[in-house]
Amino acid sequence: MNAPTGIGARVKRKEDQRFLTGTGRYVDDLPLARATYAHFLRSPHAHAKIKSIDISAAKAMPGVVAIFTGKDIADAKVGGLICGWVVKDKHGQPHKSPPHPVMAVDTVRYVGDTVAMIVANSHDEAKDAAETIKVDYDEKPANVDLAKALDKGATEVHAEAPGNLIYDWEIGVQADVDAAFAKAAHVTKLDLVNNRLIPNAMEPRAAAAEYDKGTGNYTLWSTSQNPHVLRLILSAFVLGIPEHKLRVIAPDVGGGFGSKIFCYNEETMVTWAASRVGRPIKWTAERSESFQTDAHGRDHVTHAELALDKDGKFLALKVETIANMGAYLSTFSTAVPTYLYATLLAGQYTTPLIYANVKAALTHTAPVDAYRGAGRPEATFVIESIVSKAAKELKVDPAELRRKNFIPSTAFPYQTPVALQYDSGNYPPIIDEAIKIADYKGFEARRAEAKSRGKLRGIGFSSYIEACGLGPSRVIGQLGGGVGQWESAQIKFNPTGNVQVLTGAHSHGQSHETTFAQVVSDKLGVPIENIEVVHGDTATTPFGMGSYGSRSLAVGGSAIMKAADKIIAKGKKIAAHLMEASVADVVFEQGTFKVAGTDKAVPLGQAVFAAYVPHNYPLEELEPGMDENAFYDPSNFVYPAGTQICEVEIDPDTGVVEIVNHTAVDDFGNIVNPMIVEGQVHGGIVQGVGQALLENAVYDKETGQLISGSYMDYTMPRADDVPSFKLGNKVTPCPHNPLGVKGCGEAGAIAAPAAVMNAVHDALAPLGVSHVPMPATPLNVWQAIHGARAAAE
Amino acid sequence: MYDFHYHRPKTLADAANLLKGKDEARPMSGGMTLIPTLKQRLARPSDVVDLGGIKELAGIKVEGNNVVIGGMTRHADVASSADVKGAIPALAYLAGHIGDPQVRNRGTIGGSIANNDPAADYPGAVVALNATVTTNTGRHTADNFFKGLFETALSDGELVTSVSFPKAEKAAYMKFPNPASRYAMVGVFVAKTAGGVRVAVTGAGPCVFRVKAMEDALAKNFSSDAVKDIKIPADGLNSDIHASAEYRAHLVNVMARRAVDAANK
Ligand SMILES: Cc1cc2nc3c(=O)[nH]c(=O)nc-3n(C[C@H](O)[C@H](O)[C@H](O)COP(=O)(O)OP(=O)(O)OC[C@H]3O[C@@H](n4cnc5c(N)ncnc54)[C@H](O)[C@@H]3O)c2cc1C
């Protein structure tokens, strides 16, 4: 018998054949006849006025085809880049929307800002020419330190946003929360910085564009997570190329983590210039450009307070956050610290009153936008840090305090005080399972044993909730989102019975080609090798919203299920005709139509063949062909939840933190491919560990230079930084989508930072250390230990 | 990368000739430092003289009380050499902890010490073992070779041909890697040879340096207790986002103690 390939099977990834044998096809691999190569001259300053740009020498350099500056773009009336989510501030006013030109015109606002585009016969010639461009800058003071960005007198990044404030937003009723605090038996206070991260997808961003003079058609190959949305933005807002004259192809894409959702300057410029140059243009970011110009993630400064009653029940939570937007508003930047952050602040708890105030600030740094988890890791970090801190202060078990405040399983659907309605969940069995797997009971013995070796051992919990599977379009519209958030699918049978599944989602590491094929195989009984999943090309796939926010299976998979239902419904009619039975009597089981109680049977393949060769076919009532599409708009978000338990050992002499155990138990609803889900969890945890212990985007606070601008200074997690993870899972199926699935792509990164940092704090508590900044690098840990020792002396 | 003339001579004499009189010519061994520099357009040599084709430059020999390592010998070959492991296991350990497998299979000892990156590992061994650096024109003692930040006693066109390490009675290297680059943030090499005890620190300052106070204490009593209370001043040490000068100074002490313990094992 063949190995199972349906829902629940550990099917090996179909895409690995090409990825593991070096035969994937990425944007940079594209052979384009007569191609030219673009290089972008970038600002070396965080803030400066451009007094003049002299390109005369550069134009005469060998191989140069064209040079464009911000003025050329402005003269051509190219639109600026847009922010697609209008957040209304606490007075109901839309957020400040400073212009985001595709190339700087008279001011540069961060190191890496685009100043000129040089197109040449080779990349080296373009770079040679760039070195001869003379830009006369008038350097200005830079506003880099987020904590001071909103202070009076801080240098303004844009005149359109006075005081650097993009919005001052709130959720909840402050007076109610204050009243609850007044009655609290205990208040825990916390100041946190959520460190800024640089996404570091393995494949740098790349774009290649071609213009066909004969038809007036543009083709853009881009490392995009959502080619249809990119086309929409470029067409409707930026370049004005009619949507049907622009084809966007996102071929194999080597990771994105959110950073490839957005519409960037370079792909815009490459597309625009392709028609002016009359030859294809290719651009691939160098790694240092990725560091400087990919949208960064996180970067919050937060003060939080939690009020508890005498029994340890949470009464209210108060959170104030300043969120960094960088120098320009990236595509979805405004939504991240509001609707993807503050609405998650209930966590897994019954906290009845929550007030959050978020101020979004501009700084002279790269734009900040969604990065794996987008807002939810920040929220989880706040909640799970303050809950663990409260447990320490009250000297109660951190697991007990959590359990006491969990939303009970009987309370679902559960309306939180911060807008979201959780659809399903059952949290206590998750933490119980995690405690069992992590052998929490044995921890104190392990701590003592570590102490005998001179090591400080600590344990930390993080019980996260997330809202993903973006999302219900109506809700998103009410909250200011500029797009719908449904997904599309098309199931296209060929006459010979094999299938193409076209999806509007996009895979850049998520394994859709396998998971989606499993869904179709399971539903229609077609062998998995006869199913091809097609994505990433606006010319062939139905309009779709792409992949981010752990939405592909919950929303895209649901669209596939709907399309499959249509295939079955049509097949039933064909089969009924062939079997001379009534449609109502036909059932579909394991790929075959049957008439209940008889031995009559028509395999799906036969019905498909009849649909394409309709000689014996009810043509009067039914169209030929077997090709169905569907759009699915979810009625709610999905709410994966879980608990991670991290155990660390710290060397007090050096400050080195070692993760010795890490457990994650998740509820992702039904699971299609456990192996792929585990892979997503592993990757997510590693990214979360990266944030907790290693990664930090550091700008010089005076000059705005990116100090951590290469792998010499930006610490990526490596395989030897993490132990083998211990995973478990619990299932409460999602009640509102046909697969009963939730999302698993971001969970690991959402939960891990708090678990790790709580473990670090637990380990250091005996030394009197109360706070270690994230990331808990050896330096930060050593300084915290050193500080506590000095204070004790 | 800017254009340059590429040469791959077969003999040391040809290499020296190719470099002679050309201010902008550069030798290349493993290229692990030079090539990234070229790719980032931080250097613009007229000529690159690849030493990889010169057979006489690679290889490891034991000569009397010394282990002699050719300038073109790759880190991976030092790490796995039975001769090195037998005579100075700490040196094999050091080579085995440079960079990653790709770097170890390209990078060389000659290139590493000629470059004298303040965070490189080899300078610690060269100084602590009081090795002799041989070039196509002469010899340098370890103490005279490393002059400062990326600065050595080599004159223009002078090529490292081999490094001769005296066997050690006891030796160990303890490296605290920079979390990002994994170069040495602080590396302490402790060695007891016929010539006495030496403690060399790399990574912590602008250039490898010796800690006299530790050497004197260890000469009397070769145990970690002897150096436990010897504090290194933070003045003049490197300070960056990964480690303050104070933290580096502290790590020198920790790594020194651990190195002595390891050497005594
Ligand atoms: C990712 C990465 C990680 C690394 N990690 C470490 C680490 O942990 N520890 C560490 O110590 N190093 C590390 N390195 C550096 C590595 O050890 C290099 O091999 C070393 O710095 C230079 O050796 P090379 O043979 O590659 O020299 P090259 O790059 O060929 O040359 C370096 C310089 O020395 C000159 N030169 C080369 N050979 C000679 C010679 N025989 N005589 C005179 N001048 C010469 C060149 O002109 C050039 O200026 C790392 C490098 C990389 C890329």
Side-chain angles (χ1 to χ4, degrees):
Chain A
M1 217 190 103
N2 291 335
T5 59
I7 290 174
R10 288 177 177 268
V11 180
K12 287 208 176 131
R13 303 202 318 158
K14 286 166 76 101
E15 42 274 80
D16 277 341
Q17 176 64 31
R18 68 179 193 281
F19 291 154
L20 299 181
T21 58
T23 48
R25 289 281 222 108
Y26 299 86
V27 172
D28 195 59
D29 296 326
L30 259 187
L32 288 175
R34 300 176 60 244
T36 63
Y37 297 83
H39 173 71
F40 291 90
L41 181 68
R42 298 183 182 281
S43 169
H45 306 297
H47 184 203
K49 291 269 174 231
I50 300 176
K51 293 206 294 202
S52 65
I53 305 180
D54 179 0
I55 59 168
S56 51
K59 271 188 155 160
M61 288 289 284
V64 170
V65 175
I67 298 176
F68 303 101
T69 65
K71 193 175 170 303
D72 298 318
I73 307 300
D75 290 349
K77 305 235 171 329
V78 171
L81 299 181
I82 58 154
C83 175
W85 198 305
V86 180
V87 169
K88 292 203 172 133
D89 72 8
K90 61 184 185 189
H91 309 297
Q93 295 303 307
H95 70 77
K96 295 287 186 304
S97 221
H100 187 177
V102 287
M103 278 213 281
V105 182
D106 51 13
T107 307
V108 288
R109 293 186 174 85
Y110 69 101
V111 173
D113 207 351
T114 340
V115 174
M117 179 200 205
I118 304 94
V119 183
N121 289 329
S122 73
H123 186 226
D124 275 329
E125 285 169 324
K127 287 183 87 166
D128 288 344
E131 285 177 7
T132 67
I133 295 179
K134 289 186 201 72
V135 187
D136 190 2
Y137 290 107
D138 178 12
E139 255 190 274
K140 301 280 180 197
N143 155 27
V144 183
D145 187 351
L146 177 62
K148 295 183 185 150
L150 299 173
D151 288 359
K152 256 208 172 67
T155 307
E156 261 173 24
V157 181
H158 289 276
E160 293 81 357
N164 295 315
L165 186 66
I166 287 296
Y167 53 68
D168 180 351
W169 177 91
E170 65 182 4
I171 192 166
V173 180
Q174 189 171 11
D176 294 353
V177 169
D178 286 344
F181 269 82
K183 282 186 260 159
H186 183 84
V187 173
T188 295
K189 299 182 181 178
L190 187 63
D191 284 290
L192 292 174
V193 170
N194 199 290
N195 45 318
R196 182 176 179 122
L197 304 177
I198 299 177
N200 279 299
M202 200 181 282
E203 182 202 16
R205 285 190 296 117
E210 188 172 47
Y211 175 69
D212 181 337
K213 219 158 85 178
T215 59
N217 289 343
Y218 289 81
T219 305
L220 166 65
W221 290 265
S222 172
T223 48
S224 175
Q225 300 182 210
N226 43 350
H228 285 279
V229 177
L230 177 59
R231 181 180 66 159
L232 176 65
I233 293 173
L234 287 175
S235 292
F237 301 100
V238 187
L239 292 177
I241 301 167
E243 231 177 325
H244 66 298
K245 300 305 252 181
L246 174 60
R247 175 179 180 184
V248 177
I249 301 173
D252 284 334
V253 174
F257 310 117
S259 69
K260 292 171 181 168
I261 299 173
F262 322 119
C263 178
Y264 286 93
N265 326 42
E266 296 87 355
E267 56 206 353
T268 305
M269 282 301 301
V270 163
T271 309
W272 177 80
S275 63
R276 271 128 197 110
V277 167
R279 288 165 63 186
I281 306 178
K282 292 183 76 168
W283 170 78
T284 300
E286 296 188 1
R287 186 55 71 177
S288 26
E289 291 183 285
S290 304
F291 272 100
Q292 286 186 351
T293 68
D294 286 2
H296 294 180
R298 319 280 191 255
D299 206 353
H300 286 189
V301 174
T302 292
H303 174 77
E305 298 187 12
L306 177 68
L308 300 93
D309 73 10
K310 63 178 189 341
D311 302 319
K313 286 285 273 184
F314 304 158
L315 296 173
L317 176 70
K318 198 154 58 174
V319 176
E320 281 166 37
T321 292
I322 304 176
N324 204 342
M325 296 281 108
Y328 300 100
L329 297 183
S330 174
T331 316
F332 289 111
S333 54
T334 49
V336 176
T338 48
Y339 296 113
L340 296 177
Y341 167 70
T343 54
L344 273 299
L345 287 169
Q348 296 190 0
Y349 311 112
T350 53
T351 318
L353 294 163
I354 297 174
Y355 173 77
N357 172 236
V358 180
K359 295 186 178 80
L362 292 171
T363 57
H364 287 109
T365 63
V368 181
D369 207 325
Y371 169 66
R372 201 171 192 170
R376 291 149 289 164
E378 295 92 311
T380 302
F381 187 57
V382 172
I383 307 161
E384 290 306 288
S385 296
I386 205 164
V387 168
S388 280
K389 189 173 185 205
K392 273 239 139 49
E393 289 174 353
L394 296 169
K395 299 191 170 56
V396 298
D397 181 275
E400 262 331 292
L401 187 63
R402 284 176 168 80
R403 227 187 249 110
K404 183 176 282 176
N405 287 283
F406 278 158
I407 297 161
S409 65
T410 49
F412 291 92
Y414 178 80
Q415 179 61 52
T416 74
V418 274
L420 295 176
Q421 191 185 73
Y422 298 169
D423 60 357
S424 61
N426 189 5
Y427 307 142
I430 296 177
I431 202 168
D432 290 348
E433 178 76 1
I435 279 173
K436 204 168 87 199
I437 295 175
D439 184 24
Y440 185 48
K441 283 209 187 79
F443 172 71
E444 286 306 330
R446 293 194 294 279
R447 195 202 295 263
E449 188 277 330
K451 199 171 172 196
S452 74
R453 289 182 281 113
K455 294 285 178 70
L456 300 164
R457 197 158 171 132
I459 196 161
F461 285 77
S462 176
S463 297
Y464 77 96
I465 175 85
E466 63 155 323
C468 59
L470 272 55
S473 294
R474 194 173 295 135
V475 176
I476 291 192
Q478 282 161 0
L479 300 180
V483 285
Q485 288 279 7
W486 42 265
E487 197 44 84
S488 64
Q490 182 179 358
I491 299 182
K492 202 155 97 176
F493 271 86
N494 298 313
T496 53
N498 45 36
V499 191
Q500 267 186 316
V501 179
L502 298 104
T503 171
H506 182 269
S507 187
H508 36 280
Q510 293 88 342
S511 327
H512 297 166
E513 290 166 40
T514 306
T515 304
F516 288 0
Q518 279 181 258
V519 168
V520 173
S521 177
D522 192 278
K523 179 91 176 162
L524 298 180
V526 177
I528 195 159
E529 58 276 15
N530 292 351
I531 301 168
E532 193 70 15
V533 175
V534 180
H535 59 89
D537 184 346
T538 59
T540 56
T541 63
F543 193 104
M545 305 312 298
S547 287
Y548 45 83
S550 302
R551 67 188 302 278
S552 296
L553 187 61
V555 191
S558 297
I560 290 173
M561 289 292 278
K562 271 187 78 176
D565 282 336
K566 293 184 185 176
I567 295 280
I568 294 169
K570 184 165 184 179
K572 272 188 183 169
K573 290 183 190 160
I574 301 168
H577 173 86
L578 294 175
M579 295 187 288
E580 295 173 350
S582 135
V583 176
D585 294 336
V586 177
V587 293
F588 183 64
E589 279 167 7
Q590 287 162 342
T592 302
F593 297 101
K594 295 176 184 159
V595 179
T598 73
D599 57 1
K600 288 184 183 175
V602 169
L604 175 59
Q606 191 185 335
V608 168
F609 185 77
Y612 283 103
V613 187
H615 297 164
N616 175 16
Y617 192 87
L619 281 168
E620 295 69 22
E621 297 131 46
L622 212 55
E623 294 169 20
M626 195 60 110
D627 183 349
E628 296 289 348
N629 65 357
F631 291 78
Y632 177 82
D633 200 294
S635 60
N636 193 354
F637 300 96
V638 292
Y639 298 91
T643 288
Q644 290 189 10
I645 301 177
C646 177
E647 214 169 310
V648 300
E649 273 188 17
I650 298 178
D651 178 345
D653 282 343
T654 60
V656 170
V657 177
E658 186 194 352
I659 298 182
V660 286
N661 273 318
H662 198 103
T663 302
V665 178
D666 295 286
D667 174 4
F668 296 134
N670 293 331
I671 289 184
V672 174
N673 185 324
M675 180 195 72
I676 286 171
V677 169
E678 285 161 13
Q680 290 288 317
V681 174
H682 287 180
I685 295 174
V686 174
Q687 264 172 320
V689 166
Q691 167 156 40
L693 297 182
L694 307 163
E695 299 182 48
N696 203 14
V698 182
Y699 282 96
D700 183 278
K701 287 200 164 123
E702 293 299 315
T703 64
Q705 294 297 325
L706 180 61
I707 298 173
S708 57
S710 81
Y711 294 126
M712 293 299 282
D713 286 302
Y714 189 88
T715 313
M716 289 297 285
R718 294 160 163 100
D720 63 359
D721 289 314
V722 289
S724 284
F725 302 120
K726 298 174 185 167
L727 305 187
N729 82 305
K730 292 277 168 195
V731 175
T732 60
C734 171
H736 61 76
N737 67 45
L739 284 162
V741 297
K742 303 178 181 181
C744 71
E746 299 162 290
I750 289 171
V756 177
M757 291 305 290
N758 285 338
V760 168
H761 285 113
D762 183 51
L764 296 177
L767 302 184
V769 171
S770 60
H771 182 67
V772 180
M774 188 159 74
T777 58
L779 172 64
N780 283 344
V781 172
W782 179 78
Q783 281 178 335
I785 294 174
H786 196 67
R789 280 189 179 145
E793 269 161 23
Chain B
M1 199 180 285
Y2 300 109
D3 287 348
F4 52 80
H5 298 285
Y6 174 80
H7 312 272
R8 194 174 161 89
K10 291 224 155 50
T11 67
L12 190 57
D14 286 350
N17 273 332
L18 283 162
L19 290 163
K20 198 151 63 208
K22 295 195 193 100
D23 286 356
E24 304 296 325
R26 293 279 287 277
M28 180 172 82
S29 289
M32 289 292 93
T33 297
L34 184 62
I35 291 175
T37 314
L38 296 179
K39 284 170 93 174
Q40 290 177 71
R41 297 185 161 221
L42 296 171
R44 188 169 203 163
S46 59
D47 298 76
V48 169
V49 179
D50 184 345
L51 308 180
I54 306 173
K55 292 226 167 57
E56 63 202 276
L57 281 185
I60 299 163
K61 288 177 291 205
V62 178
E63 290 176 356
N65 196 39
N66 294 305
V67 180
V68 182
I69 302 179
M72 258 314 295
T73 312
R74 319 269 182 195
H75 308 328
D77 295 328
V78 175
S80 60
S81 156
D83 285 339
V84 179
K85 281 187 193 164
I88 318 166
L91 187 58
Y93 170 91
L94 176 148
H97 286 77
I98 294 175
D100 49 47
Q102 291 89 328
V103 169
R104 291 195 289 276
N105 279 292
R106 291 294 311 167
T108 67
I109 188 167
S112 176
I113 65 166
N115 192 50
N116 194 20
D117 187 310
D121 294 297
Y122 266 130
V126 172
V127 170
L129 290 162
N130 196 14
T132 304
V133 179
T134 304
T135 71
N136 56 334
T137 58
R139 283 165 197 278
H140 303 274
T141 63
D143 288 338
N144 285 333
F145 185 78
F146 301 103
K147 293 285 187 202
L149 188 72
F150 292 106
E151 227 189 285
T152 65
L154 295 171
S155 47
D156 277 351
E158 185 177 356
L159 294 170
V160 174
T161 53
S162 68
V163 187
S164 173
F165 293 92
K167 285 184 186 170
E169 193 185 310
K170 289 179 174 183
Y173 180 60
M174 275 295 147
K175 172 178 183 173
F176 191 99
N178 175 304
S181 71
R182 295 203 176 171
Y183 274 70
M185 196 158 87
V186 169
V188 179
F189 203 111
V190 176
K192 187 174 184 185
T193 62
V197 176
R198 282 181 167 228
V199 177
V201 178
T202 188
C207 182
V208 60
F209 63 89
R210 291 170 60 185
V211 186
K212 263 311 257 155
M214 286 187 176
E215 292 179 356
D216 294 345
L218 290 169
K220 288 192 204 108
N221 170 17
F222 197 85
S223 82
S224 55
D225 273 351
V227 294
K228 202 176 76 207
D229 296 323
I230 299 178
K231 297 242 180 339
I232 303 296
D235 280 0
L237 296 191
N238 302 334
S239 182
D240 52 39
I241 59 172
H242 306 286
S244 59
E246 292 72 24
Y247 180 46
R248 277 191 166 86
H250 166 80
L251 285 177
V252 170
N253 178 283
V254 178
M255 293 298 117
R257 276 188 276 137
R258 291 182 183 180
V260 174
D261 284 339
N264 278 329
K265 269 201 187 125

